[in-house]
Amino acid sequence: MAPMGIRLSPLGIAVFCLLGIGVIYHLYAGVLSSRFASFRQKPNVDLRDLLALSMEAAVQGGREVKRIREDNTLEEKSKGKTKEGASEKLTLGDLNSHRKMFYLMKNTYPYIQVNSEEHVNAEGEATLWTRIIPKEILTKISGGKEVPADKITVWIDPLDATQEYTENLRKYVTTMVCVAVDGNPVIGVIHKPFTGYTAWGFVGEGSNVAPRASYDTNSPKVIVSRSHSGKVKSFVQAAFGNNTEIIPAGGAGYKVLALLDPTDEEQEMADMYIHVTYIKKWDICAGDAILRALGGQMTTLKGEQIDYSGSEGNTGGLLASIKTDHKGLVKRLPPWEENKQ
């Protein structure tokens, strides 16, 4: 006897049972599907944790850079030529620092994109982050600033200023980590291996470095790459006059720090940083983030923001400044076309 007094034939009972099974199957399949989708979705990452991890990665890489330089075991070789025709150096310091930094990041957050200057096919390190957050970060940055992992791109430079490293010009050498969210630089870390100092900035949250009290844009000191200071000299003087002081220096990280309150006696001071040729994003992302955290800017020579997603190169040159009229500086620059550089 069926419910409600309805009498069913054997065929009707079979159909009724099949319909019930179908409903249960679809309900169960829907639950499984949502669970699998949840499993495939990358988790969120707390940016304060990522700042602390970035600092630890830069420091660990820096230890390798310092040790190999002091032991004089560089094993120097050439990776080829830069776009300017200079030899692009590679040392054991670059490689060992890469392994420390890259695998510390990937072992801790295997689901985030990490781009490094070096692309070494070597066994990874089993290092894991201790999840200890330095007190200076805890006092300045609150937690809970989470973003989806698939929006994050990390750029690491295991050894900035390799040419100067081989020449034992230690003051220019840094290790750097940058965290970009949707292509925008948010966290920047620049570590000096030979002094032990680490500069960091978190856009909208804070920094442990500061701008200087004032900057001269009428007769500025302009810091440029020592590898092609002659090429940029005429460009700078066309904008700011023949009396403009050009400071040739190594390392993009060092040049950004030259715009800030000096952290040591060896640090030179400049009013702006200009680069007129192709440059990789791991060279400039950390400095861009620190400048943004302090209210400064780093743009292409045409005043465009640099996108830190996608390809590794920036072809638009760069102008970096702080506490100045950045748009006004861009307007003073002479016409620039990348295919002429």
Side-chain angles (χ1 to χ4, degrees):
M1 197 72 168
M4 305 295 295
I6 300 172
R7 187 181 301 274
L8 295 176
S9 67
L11 179 60
I13 293 172
V15 170
F16 183 80
C17 291
L18 287 173
L19 287 172
I21 292 171
V23 170
I24 293 171
Y25 169 78
H26 284 292
L27 287 173
Y28 185 63
V31 171
L32 286 178
S33 176
S34 64
R35 288 187 177 181
F36 282 133
S38 177
F39 179 77
R40 287 193 303 268
Q41 186 177 4
K42 294 178 180 178
N44 291 343
V45 177
D46 190 307
L47 291 178
R48 185 178 70 173
D49 290 355
L50 202 46
L51 168 59
L53 174 62
S54 298
M55 290 178 64
E56 180 62 24
V59 169
Q60 286 197 19
R63 290 195 192 108
E64 290 298 301
V65 168
K66 182 181 180 182
R67 178 182 64 81
I68 289 166
R69 178 66 266 182
E70 291 181 342
D71 291 346
N72 200 27
T73 55
L74 273 65
E75 299 183 17
E76 178 185 340
K77 62 182 74 171
S78 176
K79 293 192 288 187
K81 298 285 186 181
T82 66
K83 288 184 178 290
E84 293 79 42
S87 176
E88 193 169 8
K89 304 290 187 182
L90 178 68
T91 70
L92 192 60
D94 296 270
L95 299 179
N96 281 14
S97 177
H98 162 82
R99 292 185 185 107
K100 289 288 184 182
M101 296 174 69
F102 181 84
Y103 288 108
L104 180 62
M105 302 292 295
K106 290 298 286 185
N107 290 345
T108 307
Y109 294 116
Y111 35 79
I112 64 173
Q113 176 68 37
V114 180
N115 299 327
S116 172
E117 178 173 10
E118 307 307 333
H119 307 281
V120 185
N121 294 321
E123 289 187 13
E125 301 234 350
T127 54
L128 287 174
W129 181 40
T130 61
R131 295 198 173 272
I132 296 174
I133 299 177
K135 286 184 178 180
E136 68 172 345
I137 294 179
L138 289 173
T139 56
K140 292 185 177 184
I141 312 295
S142 59
K145 297 169 178 64
E146 295 190 347
V147 297
D150 56 9
K151 292 181 176 290
I152 295 172
T153 304
V154 175
W155 297 89
I156 63 175
D157 192 340
L159 201 169
D160 189 36
T162 300
Q163 175 63 46
E164 288 72 21
Y165 183 66
T166 64
E167 298 174 33
N168 209 18
L169 299 174
R170 301 183 181 192
K171 71 176 184 179
Y172 297 125
V173 176
T174 63
T175 58
M176 298 189 285
V177 181
C178 178
V179 177
V181 178
D182 286 332
N184 299 303
V186 173
I187 291 170
V189 175
I190 302 175
H191 174 68
K192 291 185 169 184
F194 297 102
T195 67
Y197 184 79
T198 305
W200 60 267
F202 186 163
V203 178
E205 300 297 329
S207 177
N208 70 333
V209 286
R212 301 197 304 274
S214 62
Y215 295 83
D216 186 351
T217 57
N218 293 319
S219 299
K221 295 180 179 180
V222 181
I223 196 161
V224 304
S225 293
R226 65 192 286 265
S227 60
H228 58 276
S229 57
K231 180 179 291 188
V232 74
K233 182 177 180 180
S234 59
F235 180 86
V236 170
Q237 289 182 339
F240 303 105
N242 292 334
N243 293 326
T244 304
E245 183 178 346
I246 307 294
I247 305 173
Y254 177 89
K255 297 185 193 79
V256 167
L257 294 181
L259 304 182
L260 307 179
D261 217 13
T263 58
D264 57 65
E265 294 179 355
E266 286 192 311
Q267 182 67 60
E268 294 165 283
M269 290 187 286
D271 298 301
M272 64 189 76
Y273 166 28
I274 290 179
H275 189 89
V276 298
T277 59
Y278 180 87
I279 193 167
K280 301 291 182 65
K281 291 176 182 175
W282 44 67
D283 290 317
I284 59 176
C285 185
D288 195 345
I290 290 174
L291 287 175
R292 290 195 193 196
L294 297 172
Q297 290 194 60
M298 179 185 289
T299 66
T300 68
L301 294 173
K302 295 181 179 179
E304 302 159 334
Q305 296 295 327
I306 300 167
D307 182 0
Y308 293 96
S309 58
S311 64
E312 65 186 31
N314 170 52
T315 60
L318 69 85
L319 169 66
S321 71
I322 187 168
K323 291 181 71 173
T324 63
D325 177 7
H326 190 86
K327 289 183 179 179
L329 295 179
V330 171
K331 290 179 181 178
R332 293 171 67 180
L333 298 178
W336 180 91
E337 295 297 335
E338 66 180 78
N339 58 8
K340 292 183 181 180
Q341 305 303 319

